[in-house]
Amino acid sequence: MRRQLTPYPDAALCAALAADLDAADLRSEPLRGAWGDDADDAFGRGIRGPLLRAIEGRTDALATLGRFFVVGLPQPADAVEAALPTVGLAGLEALGLAYREDDVAVPAALVRPQSFVDADGVGEWWIASDLDEVALGGALPPDHVLGVGGASRTLAELVMPVPVARALDLGTGCGIQALLVARHATNVVATDISARALAYAEINAMIAGVTTIEFRQGSMFEPVAGETFGLIVSNPPFVITPRAEGVPEYEYRDGGLVGDALVEKFVREAPAFLIPGGAAQLLGNWEARAGVAGMERLRSWVPDGIDAWVIERESLSPIGYAELWIRDGGTTPREPEFEPLLEAWIDDFAGRAVDEIGFGYVLLRRPKDPAAPPLRRFESLAQGVSGVGRALRDGLRGHDALNAGMPERLVVASDVTEARHHLPGAENPSVIELRQGGGFARTLSVDSALAAFVGACDGELTVAQIVGALADLFEVPLPELWADLEPRIRALVVDGFLAAE
């Protein structure tokens, strides 16, 4: 049975650990090269056998630390001492990351390289977190501190790359979002209800050498009462969990409220902590109840005068949702605990007449001009996405530009292409499509007039000049053509197909 240690931030020891990890080249690409692409991909699915087989017998620092910190396996103490000559095993014990049992060094935490790409470039950090279920060989403890998972990467992709003076990472966990936000924020406040999570987050900031993050303990917005920020990000503990005896509650994912009340609380309260022009971005779940769509319920939570852009990425049935999160906690259908947990989830959803559960992204913004009509956009997108943060930023900029009136000139975004489909032998296309290569990867069917307008948007001619020329070309009265094109042009601006020059 592994001992659980309390992580303890120490700047000098973290700097020593970083120096040793750097010297060992414990990074994603060297590790992938050491055990191969297939083994690396298998490890991402929780299968570690091929990885260990590939580096069996190797005693160099990279292999030793790969087994010790990346996989979470005990190693000979002298091998760990040799791989970490600066911090040493005593330093790891002081940090709460490992301990000695006779001649064996036992990891009490994972320390994995985590690469990132943002508007400022490419980089990589080492991120410490609790041992996962693969390393533990069973279910997670309730106070487990999660490393960088799929939700963390999703939120990182979602955050708009906009410089701000002050930012808030609410529910920071291991601190990955705070580190990312610190790259374009002068100061960051990172909060969490878990003292254990905050300790890991502070250790990770120290290992990365980032000194602009302040860590505070508390629930929701309590630690920042009366303060405002240019950006709030949150991957909150939004998982809907039954408040029933025998159902484990994990601090990293369960907010302690019933149903989707935590997301509702965030949406209702976050705008009060934003400066004019400031934005809040979060991941969340929302329930459809008794035939009322989840996004309709969410729409009712948004305060008046606040911009809201909500994107539902997927929805699950109550059974599918329960299975997902029971497995996430390390319990599989082969184990006797699975069926009682499933019944508890189903009973919980039935008590609120829940039909399905949606998952997606929420963007809230306090407009700089309180008199401006707010953006209210609620949509479902199933296709693959990339560069979402930039797409959201550009969509807000387009909305703001349109609030000031139709821009004089518009230009086509660089990732937009046009496809025309002809029936065999036909002179004119039966379908014309505009396609985005990035962002939300939208594909829109357009008619000849709108396609011709977009094709002429190179910044040379004004919008009025283009529409006037098209009215002559199609022999349509100008007011009639403009009435048809104007709302569709506005949609193209907010969707990022067109941008104000």
Side-chain angles (χ1 to χ4, degrees):
M1 185 70 176
R2 297 286 184 94
R3 287 165 51 195
Q4 187 181 55
L5 304 183
T6 300
Y8 183 80
D10 181 284
L13 291 175
C14 286
L17 175 58
D20 286 338
L21 298 177
D22 181 58
D25 206 17
L26 189 76
R27 294 182 172 85
S28 300
E29 286 307 311
L31 286 169
R32 194 174 178 93
W35 47 57
D37 293 349
D38 289 343
D40 195 66
D41 292 341
F43 185 62
R45 301 190 298 273
I47 303 169
R48 64 186 187 182
L51 178 158
L52 295 173
R53 182 185 180 91
I55 59 173
E56 186 177 4
R58 284 182 52 171
T59 59
D60 56 285
L62 180 65
T64 297
L65 295 179
R67 289 186 290 261
F68 187 72
F69 270 148
V70 178
V71 182
L73 289 178
Q75 295 292 290
D78 57 354
V80 174
E81 293 280 13
L84 301 171
T86 310
V87 69
L89 187 50
L92 292 185
E93 289 188 86
L95 289 169
L97 302 181
Y99 56 93
R100 178 191 288 268
E101 286 187 345
D102 299 324
D103 295 330
V104 176
V106 182
L110 301 173
V111 182
R112 291 173 172 171
Q114 178 63 46
S115 57
F116 62 86
V117 179
D118 64 15
D120 298 321
V122 180
E124 192 163 55
W125 290 302
W126 293 289
I127 300 297
S129 63
D130 276 328
L131 298 170
D132 59 18
E133 61 264 39
V134 176
L136 291 172
L140 303 173
D143 61 349
H144 175 79
V145 177
L146 189 69
V148 180
S152 297
R153 288 187 285 270
T154 297
L155 182 58
E157 172 80 1
L158 182 68
V159 174
M160 296 184 293
V162 178
V164 295
R166 300 188 76 228
L168 168 65
D169 178 15
L170 189 150
T172 192
C174 69
I176 183 63
Q177 299 302 330
L179 286 170
L180 288 165
V181 169
R183 287 170 58 81
H184 53 88
T186 305
N187 296 105
V188 179
V189 176
T191 69
D192 206 289
I193 198 170
S194 165
R196 184 175 185 83
L198 287 172
Y200 270 121
E202 191 167 0
I203 285 173
N204 291 328
M206 288 176 176
I207 293 174
V210 176
T211 60
T212 56
I213 305 173
E214 178 187 351
F215 300 93
R216 304 181 191 175
Q217 187 176 4
S219 177
M220 294 296 288
F221 292 99
E222 292 173 3
V224 294
E227 300 179 46
T228 54
F229 303 88
L231 175 66
I232 300 173
V233 299
S234 185
N235 178 17
F238 59 76
V239 175
I240 298 167
T241 304
R243 311 265 78 90
E245 184 178 354
V247 178
E249 297 181 15
Y250 298 106
E251 289 183 350
Y252 75 91
R253 72 180 202 188
D254 303 319
L257 301 181
V258 174
D260 52 19
L262 186 138
V263 174
E264 177 181 358
K265 183 177 177 66
F266 185 101
V267 171
R268 291 186 184 279
E269 295 182 1
F273 296 87
L274 294 172
I275 64 171
Q281 297 185 254
L282 75 150
L283 305 179
N285 281 155
W286 37 86
E287 298 176 336
R289 297 180 183 174
V292 180
M295 286 209 289
E296 285 305 308
R297 295 182 58 246
L298 199 159
R299 184 193 297 266
S300 71
W301 304 338
V302 180
D304 292 341
I306 298 299
D307 293 323
W309 193 343
V310 179
I311 298 164
E312 186 172 85
R313 294 291 291 150
E314 63 178 327
S315 62
L316 292 172
S317 69
I319 294 174
Y321 187 90
E323 181 181 358
L324 171 66
W325 292 110
I326 295 170
R327 287 178 178 272
D328 178 79
T331 302
T332 69
R334 296 188 298 271
E335 297 172 80
E337 298 87 357
F338 185 88
E339 286 296 333
L341 289 175
L342 183 64
E343 289 297 322
W345 246 282
I346 293 173
D347 289 344
D348 181 60
F349 284 132
R352 294 188 301 279
V354 174
D355 305 309
E356 64 178 9
I357 304 93
F359 167 83
Y361 322 145
V362 178
L363 167 62
L364 306 170
R365 186 183 63 160
R366 179 172 294 282
K368 289 183 179 179
D369 179 4
L375 174 70
R376 290 297 171 93
R377 186 162 193 177
F378 295 78
E379 56 185 329
S380 297
L381 292 176
Q383 69 266 25
V385 296
S386 65
V388 177
R390 290 183 178 86
L392 291 170
R393 177 199 63 190
D394 294 345
L396 289 177
R397 288 176 177 174
H399 170 75
D400 293 342
L402 292 170
N403 273 344
M406 180 64 68
E408 183 179 9
R409 285 180 170 81
L410 293 170
V411 295
V412 184
S414 60
D415 66 337
V416 173
T417 57
E418 181 187 280
R420 293 178 178 244
H421 304 272
H422 294 74
L423 292 173
E427 180 179 353
N428 296 317
S430 56
V431 177
I432 306 173
E433 293 178 333
L434 298 178
R435 298 174 177 173
Q436 285 180 324
F440 296 115
R442 301 180 194 273
T443 296
L444 299 178
S445 293
V446 297
D447 58 20
S448 298
L450 188 56
F453 177 87
V454 172
C457 286
D458 58 6
E460 293 295 323
L461 299 175
T462 67
V463 170
Q465 288 171 329
I466 296 172
V467 176
L470 292 177
D472 292 338
L473 176 65
F474 289 104
E475 298 180 345
V476 177
L478 179 58
E480 181 180 325
L481 180 63
W482 180 241
D484 173 63
L485 288 180
E486 192 260 355
R488 294 192 289 156
I489 293 171
R490 285 179 167 270
L492 289 177
V493 172
V494 177
D495 282 343
F497 286 85
L498 297 173
E501 191 179 34

